[in-house]
Amino acid sequence: MNQKYSINQIAKILNISTNKLRFYEKKGLINPIRDDNNNYRYYTQEDLVKIHMILMYRALNLTIKDIKNLMENCTKNNIINHFYNQWEVINDEIQKMRLIKTSIEDIMDSIYESDEQNYTTNIIKSAKKLSKIQKIKENWEDRWNFDSWAKTYDQAIKEDTGKLKIYKNYEKILDEVFKKVTENMKNDIKVLEIGVGTGNLAKRFLDKDYNIVGVDQSRKMLNIAKEKFPKLKLRLGEFLKLPFENNKFDCIVSSYALHHLNDIEKNVAIEEMLRVLKEDGKIVMGDLMFENERSRKEILANFTEEQVAEVKDEYYSSIEFLKNEFGKHSKKVDYTKIDQLNYIVQVY
Ligand SMILES: C[S@@+](CC[C@H](N)C(=O)[O-])C[C@H]1O[C@@H](n2cnc3c(N)ncnc32)[C@H](O)[C@@H]1O
């Protein structure tokens, strides 16, 4: 027979107050049966499991509204979305705290190391830098709507319908990125792919038993990648807010992704990548770019209006820019030209 519990028994088992149980009932999260004779509440074993789940969701900071929604529409996609929401809130907080901590460290160093006048200037500088970086991190948005592209992305690559034919060497580029990482690194390394999309580059690492985790800002892209490669570890995240601790990865890879950030965002992304990369780690990225500003002008001058518009819809980088920016962090950049617009850069 299905066991029944009184409100006091449930409160004792789960170590919560009876008020809380009444509150969850009032909010429609649980619906205990009433005894015909004395109208007391009775809870079934299913209720017990439900309340346990509610407590777990509350511990994870989910709102009552979210919990209700979750329990009513308990599909896999729905649940992952709720946890993705939580994941984003927590990661944003960690990012903010980390920035504030670094800023305070800078200020404390400057108090010790500079004279009175300089350190007040340094405090103001540090506060300004903090709020500037915070804004850049918060303001990036997916104006290309990758969620809407996820289902047809692989087909779109094959058809390569754009005017620039940027995907004509797609497979070769992904192979080359994989080769450049693996030719002198063993497979016990930790690899991070940023902008993993539908998982086509990560697959190469997965097939050879590399420890790889893919990050993408598009939940739908992540869903497709997971459907294609159930063993692939995936995390929701952005170039500007990587959901990992410092110095975790031996290698970062990426393909066709960095050009969705403008130059200012790229600088913050570079700092963020170097934060999660080990001191002697390596970055290998295949992406759309030019060699330098002169060649950008020359190439664009020979493009049709539609081709120019396609280039300008995104933020193609240049080897010159990347050398410069990574150089500021004492990193070297080597590159291989694949075609007119596609390059592979190695940072070490
Ligand atoms: C053109 S697709 C490339 C996907 C995959 N790397 C490939 O080569 O097929 C760009 C991917 O980068 C992701 N992306 C773009 N900007 C991003 C950002 N700031 N942070 C994380 N992912 C980003 C998009 O969501 C999308 O999945």
Side-chain angles (χ1 to χ4, degrees):
M1 206 181 99
N2 198 350
Q3 171 132 21
K4 285 184 195 160
Y5 305 88
S6 71
I7 190 163
N8 286 326
Q9 281 174 315
I10 290 280
K12 200 165 170 203
I13 294 169
L14 295 172
N15 197 21
I16 55 168
S17 68
T18 50
N19 275 347
K20 209 166 238 177
L21 288 166
R22 288 193 198 95
F23 172 72
Y24 293 149
E25 183 180 338
K26 199 169 143 204
K27 293 289 174 191
L29 294 179
I30 43 173
N31 191 16
I33 39 173
R34 294 278 183 165
D35 188 288
D36 287 343
N37 302 321
N38 56 21
N39 204 32
Y40 287 170
R41 292 171 174 83
Y42 276 101
Y43 298 81
T44 60
Q45 265 170 332
E46 286 80 55
D47 289 328
L48 181 68
V49 173
K50 248 188 190 178
I51 300 162
H52 195 265
M53 268 174 76
I54 296 169
L55 293 176
M56 188 194 77
Y57 290 145
R58 288 298 287 154
L60 292 168
N61 251 352
L62 261 68
T63 63
I64 295 288
K65 196 172 148 215
D66 271 351
I67 296 174
K68 199 167 172 203
N69 199 343
L70 245 183
M71 296 175 91
E72 282 168 1
N73 310 293
C74 209
T75 65
K76 204 170 161 187
N77 265 351
N78 207 295
I79 288 188
I80 193 85
N81 260 333
H82 278 275
F83 283 103
Y84 274 156
N85 291 345
Q86 277 309 104
W87 176 254
E88 273 185 335
V89 172
I90 288 167
N91 274 309
D92 283 358
E93 279 309 304
I94 295 174
Q95 282 283 337
K96 266 186 222 153
M97 290 303 145
R98 192 182 289 116
L99 274 181
I100 293 170
K101 187 175 167 226
T102 311
S103 179
I104 291 174
E105 271 173 350
D106 290 348
I107 290 172
M108 289 193 301
D109 286 348
S110 92
I111 292 173
Y112 276 125
E113 289 158 20
S114 24
D115 57 41
E116 187 114 359
Q117 225 182 9
N118 275 343
Y119 84 66
T120 43
T121 326
N122 286 344
I123 291 174
I124 297 168
K125 240 198 225 161
S126 206
K128 277 189 182 159
K129 187 178 161 198
L130 172 73
S131 90
K132 190 177 149 200
I133 295 182
Q134 210 142 294
K135 271 197 195 114
I136 295 168
K137 283 180 185 265
E138 276 162 17
N139 288 346
W140 183 87
E141 59 177 350
D142 176 1
R143 18 180 220 92
W144 302 271
N145 195 357
F146 281 104
D147 270 349
S148 71
W149 211 26
K151 265 197 183 144
T152 53
Y153 179 72
D154 284 346
Q155 192 55 33
I157 290 168
K158 278 192 199 122
E159 290 168 7
D160 200 4
T161 49
K163 299 288 170 208
L164 294 171
K165 301 292 162 217
I166 56 172
Y167 290 116
K168 62 175 183 259
N169 288 313
Y170 181 74
E171 297 296 334
K172 179 178 172 190
I173 289 165
L174 270 48
D175 284 344
E176 280 295 308
V177 170
F178 174 72
K179 205 169 114 199
K180 287 192 189 304
V181 173
T182 54
E183 62 195 358
N184 46 24
M185 285 179 120
K186 291 193 194 130
N187 74 350
D188 60 353
I189 55 169
K190 284 199 173 99
V191 185
L192 165 66
E193 180 179 356
I194 311 178
V196 63
T198 58
N200 298 329
L201 173 59
K203 175 193 187 299
R204 283 148 166 94
F205 289 88
L206 206 59
D207 284 351
K208 296 284 177 207
D209 285 332
Y210 277 84
N211 180 347
I212 181 161
V213 52
V215 159
D216 206 287
Q217 58 82 36
S218 158
R219 299 175 188 201
K220 297 263 164 70
M221 284 283 190
L222 292 176
N223 290 345
I224 301 276
K226 197 72 187 171
E227 266 170 35
K228 285 168 66 183
F229 311 112
K231 284 194 180 147
L232 180 57
K233 271 244 155 19
L234 295 164
R235 294 286 178 263
L236 183 68
E238 286 178 32
F239 258 111
L240 300 174
K241 297 189 238 172
L242 295 171
F244 304 102
E245 63 265 34
N246 299 353
N247 308 109
K248 187 177 165 79
F249 295 99
D250 300 278
C251 187
I252 296 178
V253 295
S254 184
S255 59
Y256 291 88
L258 188 70
H259 65 277
H260 298 103
L261 284 78
N262 66 31
D263 281 358
I264 294 171
E265 290 162 344
K266 279 193 194 93
N267 287 340
V268 178
I270 286 172
E271 285 192 9
E272 190 60 354
M273 284 191 276
L274 295 177
R275 179 183 69 75
V276 301
L277 191 68
K278 288 181 184 167
E279 222 23 54
D280 58 349
K282 184 169 163 180
I283 302 175
V284 184
M285 292 185 287
D287 202 20
L288 295 158
M289 64 188 81
F290 300 95
E291 206 155 330
N292 49 42
E293 289 315 302
R294 194 170 50 97
S295 70
R296 182 193 300 266
K297 274 191 196 137
E298 282 167 9
I299 291 169
L300 289 182
N302 288 314
F303 275 1
T304 64
E305 248 176 59
E306 280 169 311
Q307 285 174 318
V308 172
E310 245 182 69
V311 172
K312 293 200 167 163
D313 180 47
E314 293 170 333
Y315 307 104
Y316 288 27
S317 192
S318 76
I319 297 290
E320 198 175 44
F321 172 86
L322 293 176
K323 275 191 172 172
N324 214 355
E325 294 310 321
F326 276 109
K328 289 179 188 163
H329 302 273
S330 313
K331 294 282 177 189
K332 284 200 177 123
V333 173
D334 279 350
Y335 67 97
T336 311
K337 184 173 179 173
I338 302 292
D339 54 45
Q340 192 179 35
L341 295 171
N342 277 295
Y343 286 78
I344 293 177
V345 290
Q346 289 193 78
V347 183
Y348 53 94

